């Protein structure tokens, strides 16, 4: 009796206040769901961040000094997720994969749509010369370079509370692959050297399979004749080298020991084809050494073959000039060179 009256009271209560219960139910569910989402949201945001990709589409290093350089870098951020958050501008460290950071760049604010571009165009201070030299050595000496970009930024998505995410990306770029394909594509010999000692000028071709444009300054190279040990032959200069993506053909000038060249042709390379080993010596920009280019260049070795016979022939020497040129090297060598020149 009592129960049924309680039951009917309850029924009456529900009948009258059903809307209140519905509101309470919805509110509680909403709060629970929101709590779950809010609790899980930073993790979801980080997870999506982790799944995004970074591809460097253009990179230009200019105005290098021993302590800094200017960096232009255009990258694509790929975001496979269906939500497209805004990321605040943030400072990110750059390092060769697994190495110490060599500099900090400010990545601008980005709306991470399916494919967003992010452009860095700023001076970068070199914070760790050894680390930057290692990076530069990897760029010059490898066919692939892995670059780490690391930072932390605020992420905004619709009405969700702002959350902070780690931005840790490793991007893989093509490197300059030991400057493979380096070649002296044309040259001519000067019998009378210029005031600075230049007695050979030519063109050098340097392929650059990467997306990087690198200002390397004024370079000098050591030229050597193969042997154990190799014999120093002279020095070559390439001024204001700016290696752009694709093929590069740049002028070179050299001061070589011409009597050594003639001796080598007359005694060993009687077909007039002279093998020359070229290694890096120095990189100067505005009168200052750039150790982060010099060291990697010194480690690179290029073997080229110079068609000295043709270059000598192009001089159109007569037997009198030849005798002068050969000088005290010896008449037997003179006659070999004479036969190369067909005089
Ligand atoms: C994101 O990647 C880092 C490693 O870079 C890892 O430690 C972390 O657990 C990942 N976070 C999520 C939410 O996937
Ligand atoms: C960055 O690259 C994208 C795609 O290649 C291009 O549309 C954009 O103009 C580039 N931005 C700059 C500043 O070069
Ligand atoms: C980046 O670092 C510089 C120097 O420490 C600071 O002035 C700047 O505010 C930082 N920028 C951002 C977006 O954190
Ligand atoms: C280097 O250039 C010369 C002159 O153009 C050419 O004859 C020679 O084949 C080239 N060497 C290589 C390895 O490409
Ligand atoms: C270098 O190349 C340029 C352009 O092809 C050419 O005019 C010049 O004669 C070349 N120089 C030498 C020394 O071969
Ligand atoms: C260049 O030539 C030297 C000997 O003349 C040889 O030891 C070396 O392996 C060659 N290097 C390359 C990259 O061909
Ligand atoms: C040039 O080479 C010759 C022959 O090896 C050598 O006697 C002479 O000292 C060298 N000249 C210079 C300036 O190095
Ligand atoms: C660079 O060239 C100069 C002059 O020929 C020489 O004294 C010096 O040892 C060279 N340095 C290197 C690292 O090859
Ligand atoms: C390279 O050397 C030339 C001649 O000495 C000079 O005018 C030029 O400024 C130098 N270039 C750089 C980038 O230092």
């Amino acid at each position: 009796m009592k129960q049924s009256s309680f039951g009917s009271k309850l029924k009456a209560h529900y009948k009258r206040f059903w809307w209140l219960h519905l509101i309470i139910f919805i509110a509680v569910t909403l709060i629970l769901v929101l709590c779950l989402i809010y609790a899980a949201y930073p993790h979801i945001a980080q997870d999506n961040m982790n799944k995004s990709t970074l591809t460097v589409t253009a990179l230009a290093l200019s105005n290098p000094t021993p302590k800094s350089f200017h960096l232009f870098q255009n990258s694509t951020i790929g975001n496979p997720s269906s939500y497209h958050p805004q990321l605040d501008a943030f400072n990110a460290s750059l390092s060769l994969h697994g190495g110490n950071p060599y500099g900090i760049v400010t990545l601008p604010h980005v709306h991470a749509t399916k494919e967003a571009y992010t452009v860095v165009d700023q001076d970068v201070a070199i914070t760790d010369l050894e680390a930057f030299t290692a990076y530069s050595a990897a760029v010059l000496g490898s066919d692939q370079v892995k670059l780490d970009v690391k930072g932390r930024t605020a992420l905004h998505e619709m009405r969700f509370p702002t959350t902070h995410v780690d931005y840790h990306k490793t991007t893989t770029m093509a490197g300059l692959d030991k400057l493979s394909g380096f070649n002296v594509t044309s040259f001519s010999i000067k019998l009378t050297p210029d005031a600075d000692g230049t007695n050979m000028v030519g063109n050098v071709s340097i392929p650059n399979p990467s997306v990087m444009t690198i200002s390397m300054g004024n370079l000098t190279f050591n030229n050597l004749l193969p042997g154990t040990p190799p014999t120093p032959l002279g020095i070559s200069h390439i001024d204001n080298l700016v290696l752009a993506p694709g093929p590069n053909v740049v002028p070179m000038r050299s001061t070589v020991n011409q009597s050594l060249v003639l001796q080598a042709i007359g005694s060993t390379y009687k077909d007039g084809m002279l093998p020359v080993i070229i290694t890096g010596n120095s990189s100067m920009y505005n009168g200052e050494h750039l150790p982060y280019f010099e060291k990697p260049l010194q480690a690179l070795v290029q073997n080229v073959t110079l068609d000295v016979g043709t270059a000598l022939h192009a001089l159109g020497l007569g037997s009198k000039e030849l005798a002068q040129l050969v000088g005290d090297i010896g008449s037997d060598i003179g006659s070999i060179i004479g036969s190369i020149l067909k005089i």
Side-chain angles (χ1 to χ4, degrees):
M1 192 76 168
K2 245 182 180 177
Q3 253 185 1
S4 102
S5 117
F6 177 74
S8 59
K9 264 185 184 166
L10 203 65
K11 235 178 177 171
H13 171 86
Y14 272 115
K15 219 168 179 176
R16 195 162 164 208
F17 292 107
W18 62 271
W19 50 273
L20 185 64
H21 286 270
L22 187 63
I23 287 175
I24 290 171
F25 174 76
I26 288 175
V28 166
T29 309
L30 209 61
I31 287 166
L32 279 176
V33 166
L34 285 180
C35 281
L36 275 176
I37 288 177
Y38 276 32
Y41 171 66
H43 183 85
I44 294 168
Q46 181 66 61
D47 187 49
N48 278 303
M49 202 60 182
N50 282 10
K51 284 182 180 139
S52 74
T53 57
L54 178 69
T55 311
V56 177
T57 52
L59 190 159
L61 192 157
S62 58
N63 200 21
T65 79
K67 293 191 166 133
S68 68
F69 55 87
H70 188 87
L71 179 69
F72 171 87
Q73 186 172 316
N74 192 350
S75 313
T76 307
I77 294 178
N79 176 10
S81 119
S82 57
Y83 75 141
H84 296 151
Q86 311 269 346
L87 301 179
D88 280 357
F90 66 105
N91 283 342
S93 69
L94 302 177
S95 53
L96 180 63
H97 184 51
N100 285 336
Y102 57 78
I104 308 261
V105 293
T106 304
L107 294 175
H109 163 267
V110 63
H111 183 195
T113 52
K114 212 174 180 62
E115 210 168 65
Y117 303 119
T118 174
V119 173
V120 165
D121 195 356
Q122 65 175 89
D123 288 331
V124 179
I126 298 167
T127 52
D128 183 333
L129 179 60
E130 210 176 303
F132 188 54
T133 306
Y135 165 75
S136 165
V139 166
L140 285 167
S142 328
D143 59 345
Q144 271 197 348
V145 193
K146 288 188 170 179
L147 177 69
D148 285 351
V149 180
K150 287 187 183 176
R152 190 168 168 79
T153 185
L155 180 149
H156 314 276
E157 169 72 15
M158 299 188 295
R159 296 282 169 92
F160 287 108
T162 295
T163 179
H164 286 84
V165 287
D166 288 324
Y167 190 84
H168 289 186
K169 288 290 146 205
T170 301
T171 179
T172 304
M173 300 180 284
L176 271 69
D177 197 17
K178 306 189 181 76
L179 304 183
S180 78
F182 180 104
N183 194 10
V184 177
T185 49
S186 64
F187 72 99
S188 58
I189 293 171
K190 294 177 160 216
L191 285 180
T192 317
D194 294 345
D196 65 356
T198 299
N199 58 11
M200 192 181 121
V201 291
N203 288 314
V204 174
S205 114
I206 309 175
N208 174 358
S210 79
V211 299
M212 293 179 251
T213 304
I214 310 178
S215 297
M216 302 188 78
N218 286 352
L219 304 183
T220 64
F221 296 87
N222 301 320
N223 306 323
L224 306 118
L225 281 183
T228 33
T231 315
L233 188 62
I235 199 139
S236 295
H237 301 259
I238 298 177
D239 275 355
N240 296 317
L241 179 63
V242 180
L243 274 181
N248 293 268
V249 178
V250 293
M252 169 204 74
R253 68 196 149 79
S254 312
T255 302
V256 297
N257 185 332
Q258 285 183 341
S259 57
L260 187 55
V261 169
L262 293 173
Q263 220 170 39
I265 296 287
S267 62
T268 313
Y269 307 105
K270 296 183 180 170
D271 57 356
M273 303 298 283
L274 186 73
V276 177
I277 300 169
I278 302 181
T279 65
N281 178 296
S282 66
S283 158
M284 303 277 284
Y285 200 93
N286 289 339
E288 293 187 290
H289 282 276
L290 301 178
Y292 48 83
F293 288 147
E294 279 181 0
K295 279 188 195 155
L297 283 173
Q298 284 163 5
L300 294 185
V301 178
Q302 312 298 335
N303 291 331
V304 300
T305 303
L306 300 183
D307 187 352
V308 173
T310 301
L312 283 173
H313 199 247
L315 293 173
L317 298 178
S319 49
K320 204 172 126 203
E321 291 93 333
L322 179 63
Q324 230 171 22
L325 184 66
V326 173
D328 55 5
I329 290 172
S331 58
D332 48 338
I333 288 176
S335 69
I336 290 168
I337 292 170
S339 73
I340 290 173
L341 302 184
K342 297 178 183 70
I343 51 174

